Amino acid sequence: MEVEASPPSRSISTHLRGALAACRGAASHAARLALDIALPTLCVACREPVDGEGVCAECWAKLSFIAPPFCPRLGIPFVYDPGPDMLSMEAIANPPAYTRARAAVRYDDVARTLVHALKYQDRTDLAPAMGRWMARAGHELLDGADMLIPVPLHWRRAWRRRYNQSGALARVIERQTGVKVAPEALQRIRPTEQQIGLSRPQRASNVQGAFKVASERQSLIAGRRVLLIDDVLTSGATVDACARALLRAKASQVDVLVFARVVESHKTPI
Ligand SMILES: [Zn+2]
């Protein structure tokens, strides 16, 4: 019986092994397929599948990348080229404490979607594309910048939100350009109201005195060219208050690079 039993059992085990191997092959093929289906690259704005990374062609077309001509001081786009070194009316009427500001895009619908997702929905996966666009828009400012300083959150807000969106953007720009982030150099020493819904003078007084360079960090800043990093520039009150604090700590120059800036169209032409 044993002699008779062994050949069929061998053959069954051979069949089983073959079947198992086939299953394993099919399973790994299915797993690969499932991975391909589960992890397509998605448009960062609308979440439709997209070739490569970043935004889909449709959302890309809706983003307004800022290109010359623009105000050399504030980076506000001009509707026509007024010639070299022509400043915007806004730069002449309200010169900011910082020297130059640049933004990757205008703050409109797609830009707002990206900013809100990064800021409030933990979508840190958006930072690489946004940071790369910022590095391109800010190449003149990055040239010769000694350090990147993200606009800090008050610790209470940072604790609630778990990370600082400006810090996430600054890290991407650091990786792109090699200019180092100095994350603790500037501190928000008092919590401020959200700037949303405030008038321009209210925004300015809301952030006045809100930022400080700690005395033990002043030697880091003195004589250095600082590039401030933020997600959105609206009235510019926040970055202006930051720039004042950095200049008080003897920074030699402060520039500003943001992902998106509000462009008030009636103020664009000079
Ligand atoms: Zn899209």
Side-chain angles (χ1 to χ4, degrees):
M1 288 297 284
E2 278 175 33
V3 176
E4 272 177 31
S6 50
S9 97
R10 264 204 303 274
S11 122
I12 287 166
S13 77
T14 309
H15 281 298
L16 264 174
R17 266 201 300 275
L20 264 173
C23 276
R24 238 180 270 130
S28 74
H29 181 66
R32 273 199 307 275
L33 250 172
L35 260 178
D36 286 345
I37 293 164
L39 301 170
T41 314
L42 300 181
C43 167
V44 293
C46 71
R47 308 305 285 158
E48 289 293 315
V50 66
D51 281 337
E53 56 175 357
V55 294
C56 71
E58 212 171 302
C59 292
W60 176 276
K62 286 185 206 151
L63 273 172
S64 310
F65 286 91
I66 294 175
F70 48 66
C71 169
R73 199 69 214 279
L74 299 181
I76 297 173
F78 289 138
V79 285
Y80 62 91
D81 193 347
D85 304 325
M86 265 323 230
L87 297 181
S88 59
M89 280 306 286
E90 209 167 0
I92 296 163
N94 294 305
Y98 51 85
T99 304
R100 296 171 295 177
R102 296 290 181 270
V105 298
R106 289 176 188 236
Y107 190 57
D108 53 19
D109 288 345
V110 178
R112 187 178 299 113
T113 308
L114 296 176
V115 165
H116 281 216
L118 178 68
K119 200 179 217 160
Y120 303 117
Q121 294 157 21
D122 279 349
R123 290 285 311 281
T124 44
D125 57 309
L126 302 184
M130 294 164 76
R132 276 199 306 276
W133 297 333
M134 288 170 71
R136 203 170 47 196
H139 65 94
E140 299 164 273
L141 316 189
L142 283 154
D143 234 18
D146 291 312
M147 66 186 82
L148 308 175
I149 295 188
V151 169
L153 297 174
H154 188 257
W155 65 266
R156 240 178 280 156
R157 186 166 291 161
W159 182 79
R160 266 207 309 277
R161 213 181 272 163
R162 295 197 295 279
Y163 78 103
N164 176 357
Q165 73 282 359
S166 306
L169 295 170
R171 289 288 174 204
V172 175
I173 298 165
E174 175 183 56
R175 281 198 295 276
Q176 283 274 303
T177 63
V179 183
K180 294 284 175 217
V181 180
E184 308 291 331
L186 188 65
Q187 296 171 330
R188 196 183 285 246
I189 50 174
R190 64 174 175 83
T192 50
E193 304 272 322
Q194 294 273 16
Q195 297 278 67
I196 299 164
L198 299 182
S199 69
R200 178 178 282 265
Q202 285 171 331
R203 281 170 185 258
S205 70
N206 184 32
V207 290
Q208 198 178 11
F211 299 95
K212 191 183 168 216
V213 175
S215 49
E216 72 273 17
R217 299 240 158 73
Q218 294 203 353
S219 60
L220 250 180
I221 304 297
R224 316 298 289 278
R225 263 183 62 182
V226 174
L227 182 53
L228 268 171
I229 304 292
D230 207 359
D231 53 354
V232 181
L233 190 150
T234 307
S235 69
T238 303
V239 283
D240 204 60
C242 290
R244 284 175 200 283
L246 290 161
L247 291 168
R248 273 198 300 275
K250 307 274 185 287
S252 63
Q253 183 175 322
V254 180
D255 292 313
V256 175
L257 178 58
V258 298
F259 170 65
R261 72 162 303 140
V262 171
V263 177
E264 295 166 67
S265 46
H266 65 279
K267 285 191 179 162
T268 309
I270 56 159

